[in-house]
Amino acid sequence: MTPTISRLALAALALSASILSAEPAVAAVACGSGNFDAWLADFKTDAAAKGISQQAIAAGLAGVTLDQSVLNRDRSQKVFGQTFEEFSGRMVPPRMQRGSNMMKQYGSVLSRIEQAYGVPGEVLVAIWGLETDFGVNTGKFATIRSLATLAYDCRRSEQFRAELMDALRIVQRGDLAPGDMKGAWAGELGQTQFMPSSWMKYAVDFDGNGKRDLLHNAPDVLASTANYLAGYGWQRGKDWQPGGPNFAVLQQWNKSEVYSKTVAYFATQLARAP
């Protein structure tokens, strides 16, 4: 994704997930045990017990190995240090013209999305532009491999174990083939960078072609993003600027105030564009 630090990473910097779960009666292979293959075999058994098909498990996890580069990135995260002026000044001006063009190109789609979910097109296009340059830079990391690596690592094991399960559910549902699942290093997928859990909860098939495709299908991308914001309480017709009722919803998209303020600013600039 375009920003220097992933949305999930920003939210997770203060998170210290517990490693132990009281759930399984049978001892599972521990995270970080020194044997990734044994851990993965145990995960496959758990996935099947949770109702994921053998076909999806085999397709999604065949040949998956630990990705040290993902662990290196996770270990070297830095706190988001840019000011609003620095970040918005770097991110918004180069994207204004393209954003304005996207508002025109997808005008009718955005209008129907706003009718359905209450979220204005300017907000959706601003997020789209900031996250991946309108779908140009969605990331090149193999999503399932990244999630398996982070689930095996003990830092946030349970969080990413759940995301890996949902990635397999995306495969099982037929939204994407495993080979198409490429994105940011921490597992975000698609043109507005959904974690698999958000994909399962909020992705919609807006064009009615039978698939929820947030990697290739702009109407699905924009409508799913609107559905996400609506799910977090977006209020139709209300202000999205800092202090407004919808700014808190933008902060559910990204916990960084600088990032959320930049989305709000970009959306306002798009609203004023000729």
Side-chain angles (χ1 to χ4, degrees), residues 172-184:
Q172 178 170 276
R173 195 164 69 178
D175 290 355
L176 289 175
D180 290 334
M181 296 173 75
K182 288 185 167 48

Side-chain angles (χ1 to χ4, degrees), residues 139-220:
K140 296 181 179 179
F141 284 84
T143 299
I144 290 177
R145 186 184 186 199
S146 290
L147 293 172
T149 296
L150 292 167
Y152 172 71
D153 184 50
C154 287
R155 200 161 87 84
R156 288 172 280 159
S157 178
E158 291 306 313
Q159 178 186 359
F160 282 102
R161 189 179 183 93
E163 295 292 349
L164 182 56
M165 290 286 183
D166 279 332
L168 294 180
R169 292 183 180 107
I170 290 171
V171 173
Q172 178 170 276
R173 195 164 69 178
D175 290 355
L176 289 175
D180 290 334
M181 296 173 75
K182 288 185 167 48
W185 67 264
E188 301 98 328
L189 264 172
Q191 295 190 26
T192 54
Q193 301 284 269
F194 273 37
M195 290 302 292
S197 57
S198 295
W199 185 304
M200 288 300 298
K201 190 170 184 180
Y202 296 111
V204 294
D205 172 21
F206 197 70
D207 67 352
N209 71 350
K211 288 188 177 183
R212 302 162 185 86
D213 185 357
L214 312 191
L215 269 173
H216 313 103
N217 186 309
D220 287 3

Side-chain angles (χ1 to χ4, degrees), residues 17 62 69 96 132 164 170 174 191 194 236 251 268:
S69 71
M96 268 302 303
T132 65
L164 182 56
I170 290 171
Q191 295 190 26
F194 273 37
R236 187 184 297 267
Q251 290 188 291
T268 299

Side-chain angles (χ1 to χ4, degrees), residues 112-132:
R112 287 190 289 117
I113 290 171
E114 184 169 5
Q115 287 175 5
Y117 300 102
V119 183
E122 294 90 346
V123 172
L124 303 176
V125 170
I127 290 171
W128 193 19
L130 291 174
E131 290 291 343
T132 65

Side-chain angles (χ1 to χ4, degrees), residues 13-29:
L13 282 168
L15 180 65
S16 178
S18 94
I19 305 306
L20 297 177
S21 167
E23 231 177 47
V26 180
V29 176

